[in-house]
Amino acid sequence: MVPSMDNTLAQSTDSVAQLLRDLEDSKTMPLWTQMTRLNPPEPNPTAVPFVWNREESPDVGESCSRYVPPGMLWWVAGPVNDQVDAPYTTDTLYAGLQLVMPNETAPAHRHTAFAMRYIIEGNGGFTAVHGRRIRMQKGDVILTPVWNYHDHGKDGSGPMIWLDGLDLPNFRHFPVHFVEHFSKPRYPAEDVDTSASPIVFPWNQMKERLDETEGNWATQRYLKADGREERLDAATSSPRRQDTLSAVYHVITGEGHSEVGGQTLEWKAGDTFCVPSWYPYQHFADAGETVYLYRFDDKPMITALGFYRSVADDTETLISD
């Protein structure tokens, strides 16, 4: 008797199912069942576009002062992307709003992760990095290079608030991140001239560079870090972009919105928003005021690893002998 087609297919299906069970039992996974997940047709970030409105956030300073025990100086509230497992902002970037109250100091420590800070508000704050104490000024960007002892503090009245930017999410894949605390709360440091420090980028200098650039839209990168600032004239828009970078934005001045992958993100001064990898996006400024945006992204890492692509790229290169 010739077996029917149905019986042949059933036996074949049973055989494949048995093969998959045998492979699973031997701690082996067939690649062909994972091809679509491992080889998608285009970048597929887990994070989604989102905007965190300053006015809708709780009063961090008041809440921390009232409820967080004295000495617990890590008053950090990170803009969390609900689609990412850990409390990260994009798949590769962590952003956190950090607050230090008067006469407080964050304990000295160092870590593998790189960090940079955009100063949002306050006066009298300082950060000491590798024995050099730097005064914080509104709008400044201050770097914390890898594995350098650092602490933060606040003199005078009122809180000091800044936006942290770190590459923490990458350590999900590279398990090499760790923190070492200094033996004392403060690391020995001396005051240095902020304008002469290689890890400080003053806002007045960046604004001058942006304003000297012609056109309705301008962008300037911080050459020693993975941050940049953008200027967008009132009632104009930026070019439409789509690439493999992830970015976090903080609105310095002005109001407007961004079209990100079919979503409209409305924003104004004080808000923070993110653009995950490969989402097409474009910024639009409302009439009345020039928009200044602080941005930090993962371009140095993505470029160094050879992962950068934009939607306009279609190039192939050979490795030379």
Side-chain angles (χ1 to χ4, degrees), residues 36-56:
T36 300
R37 182 177 68 87
L38 297 177
N39 297 284
E42 61 181 11
N44 56 348
T46 301
V48 296
F50 198 78
V51 59
W52 292 267
N53 298 116
R54 178 72 180 273
E55 291 182 353
E56 296 177 4

Side-chain angles (χ1 to χ4, degrees), residues 1-318:
M1 179 181 293
V2 178
S4 68
M5 182 64 71
D6 289 344
N7 288 338
T8 301
L9 290 175
Q11 292 174 2
S12 176
T13 301
D14 290 342
S15 297
V16 170
Q18 183 60 52
L19 172 61
L20 294 177
R21 287 194 294 270
D22 291 344
L23 288 172
E24 182 178 358
D25 290 341
S26 65
K27 304 301 180 183
T28 306
M29 178 178 290
L31 180 61
W32 69 83
T33 65
Q34 305 292 320
M35 287 295 286
T36 300
R37 182 177 68 87
L38 297 177
N39 297 284
E42 61 181 11
N44 56 348
T46 301
V48 296
F50 198 78
V51 59
W52 292 267
N53 298 116
R54 178 72 180 273
E55 291 182 353
E56 296 177 4
S57 301
D59 188 328
V60 177
E62 180 181 350
S63 299
C64 288
S65 299
R66 182 180 303 174
Y67 300 115
V68 180
M72 298 295 291
L73 301 174
W74 294 102
W75 329 91
V76 182
V80 173
N81 201 303
D82 289 340
Q83 299 304 311
V84 183
D85 290 340
Y88 301 137
T89 310
T90 75
D91 294 89
T92 57
L93 300 173
Y94 169 82
L97 294 171
Q98 184 164 1
L99 175 144
V100 176
M101 299 298 287
N103 303 314
E104 292 180 338
T105 304
H109 63 288
R110 59 182 178 178
H111 42 65
T112 313
F114 172 83
M116 59 189 302
R117 315 177 196 288
Y118 172 78
I119 312 305
I120 296 175
E121 66 179 65
N123 293 297
F126 65 85
T127 185
V129 180
H130 196 64
R132 298 172 177 85
R133 188 180 299 105
I134 300 162
R135 292 292 164 180
M136 295 176 168
Q137 304 292 330
K138 182 177 180 180
D140 290 354
V141 170
I142 302 175
L143 311 184
T144 304
V146 169
W147 208 241
N148 278 260
Y149 275 116
H150 55 283
D151 57 46
H152 319 293
K154 176 71 175 68
D155 300 324
S157 61
M160 200 82 195
I161 300 176
W162 60 81
L163 179 67
D164 284 330
L166 293 93
D167 53 359
L168 285 174
N170 300 309
F171 296 103
R172 291 175 297 173
H173 312 293
F174 302 99
V176 296
H177 179 256
F178 60 103
V179 177
E180 183 175 270
H181 294 276
F182 191 58
S183 57
K184 298 179 181 179
R186 302 285 295 275
Y187 189 82
E190 61 180 6
D191 292 331
V192 298
D193 183 359
T194 299
S195 62
S197 173
I199 65 171
V200 180
F201 296 85
W203 165 238
N204 59 351
Q205 295 179 17
M206 175 57 76
K207 185 176 185 298
E208 182 178 354
R209 289 170 56 195
L210 288 168
D211 292 343
E212 289 175 348
T213 306
E214 296 182 358
N216 294 326
W217 171 79
T219 179
Q220 294 283 347
R221 294 195 71 88
Y222 293 106
L223 298 180
K224 296 184 180 181
D226 49 358
R228 80 165 143 199
E229 308 248 9
E230 299 186 24
R231 188 206 83 230
L232 186 59
D233 289 347
T236 63
S237 63
S238 68
R240 187 177 187 270
R241 289 175 284 179
Q242 182 179 5
D243 55 30
T244 51
L245 303 183
S246 293
V248 174
Y249 286 87
H250 182 78
V251 186
I252 302 173
T253 62
E255 298 184 20
H257 69 278
S258 297
E259 298 292 338
V260 186
Q263 285 185 249
T264 299
L265 304 181
E266 302 279 353
W267 39 257
K268 57 186 174 301
D271 292 347
T272 302
F273 65 96
C274 74
V275 178
S277 171
W278 207 245
Y279 276 83
Y281 66 99
Q282 189 172 14
H283 308 308
F284 298 84
D286 289 352
E289 185 178 7
T290 298
V291 169
Y292 289 93
L293 300 170
Y294 165 70
R295 160 182 167 136
F296 72 90
D297 58 44
D298 53 8
K299 186 173 183 178
M301 179 194 70
I302 296 298
T303 302
L305 293 173
F307 297 160
Y308 180 78
R309 297 289 184 278
S310 75
V311 71
D313 289 340
D314 187 16
T315 58
E316 296 185 25
T317 59
L318 292 175

